[in-house]
Amino acid sequence: MDDVVRALAAVHAPLTSPAERLAATRLLEVFKLGAAEQLGAVLALAGPERPAHERHFALHALVALVRARWPALDAARREEVKSLALQLVAAVGERAEASFVVGAAVTFVCELAKREWPQRWPPLADELLALGRRSPRHAALALECLASLSDEARVFALDELPESRRTELRKGLEAICQDVAAFAHGA
């Protein structure tokens, strides 16, 4: 993990030479590709005590894992990643966080939901709304996750989701509309 931290520092340092920046970027890309095998290190980088740029990178590594390797993960690892997503969103909501970290956390949950909800992750909406009851920050995060998923379900979204999957997502969102409205109005 020390190599990754040094590579992140090199990428973000303005005086890093182009050759060093390229080497650091390559190391980070290799790390992201191996995120499934290095989940512990990724989670350590996502910890609340880490600098924002490290947490942001860790969340992007998790998004890359979901986008590139989700079908290849076994069921137990998938469940672990889904559970971790909600834990990370809860942690992000605990304090004022850089908007780029919040955005990466929302993207992570949305990428999982696009693949799993509502069929293989039925409690997601309830879990997000329960999380949202913790604080105004958590409420904003929960609603951002659902809004991002709603954007993905639209016909004109840039993602290449099959129309049948978009329909499943729209039906799932329609089914929770009253719960979300009640949550938003403080019921």
Side-chain angles (χ1 to χ4, degrees):
M1 187 166 89
D2 290 340
D3 289 344
V4 172
V5 171
R6 280 193 294 278
L8 283 167
V11 166
H12 289 281
L15 299 178
T16 301
S17 72
E20 289 174 311
R21 189 177 312 280
L22 179 60
T25 300
R26 286 182 176 153
L27 186 143
L28 295 173
E29 290 303 314
V30 168
F31 181 83
K32 279 195 320 191
L33 289 173
E37 293 77 27
Q38 304 174 70
L39 204 50
V42 175
L43 294 176
L45 285 172
E49 73 286 351
R50 305 302 296 197
H53 70 277
E54 289 179 17
R55 290 193 312 280
H56 182 252
F57 173 75
L59 287 162
H60 273 286
L62 291 166
V63 168
L65 166 69
V66 172
R67 287 179 177 162
R69 308 238 348 250
W70 193 251
L73 296 179
D74 63 48
R77 183 52 58 110
R78 286 182 186 190
E79 291 304 314
E80 179 183 10
V81 171
K82 290 188 301 192
S83 175
L84 292 170
L86 292 174
Q87 290 173 30
L88 288 171
V89 168
V92 165
E94 291 297 325
R95 63 183 188 179
E97 189 69 80
S99 61
F100 59 91
V101 174
V102 171
V106 168
T107 299
F108 179 39
V109 171
C110 184
E111 288 297 325
L112 286 168
K114 283 171 28 181
R115 289 156 177 80
E116 296 289 300
W117 185 80
Q119 294 81 359
R120 291 173 298 281
W121 199 7
L124 172 63
D126 291 337
E127 290 171 349
L128 283 172
L129 296 179
L131 177 68
R133 290 183 185 91
R134 290 187 186 181
S135 73
R137 277 193 200 112
H138 287 101
L141 272 167
L143 292 174
E144 282 186 59
C145 288
L146 293 170
S148 182
L149 185 58
S150 175
D151 289 344
E152 293 295 334
R154 293 184 187 157
V155 174
F156 57 86
L158 296 176
D159 194 295
E160 296 299 322
L161 281 177
E163 184 56 35
S164 60
R165 184 66 188 130
R166 285 187 204 285
T167 300
E168 291 170 349
L169 291 173
R170 282 193 297 271
K171 287 180 180 179
L173 289 164
E174 289 168 5
I176 64 167
C177 275
Q178 288 186 343
D179 294 338
V180 173
F183 168 80
H185 290 100

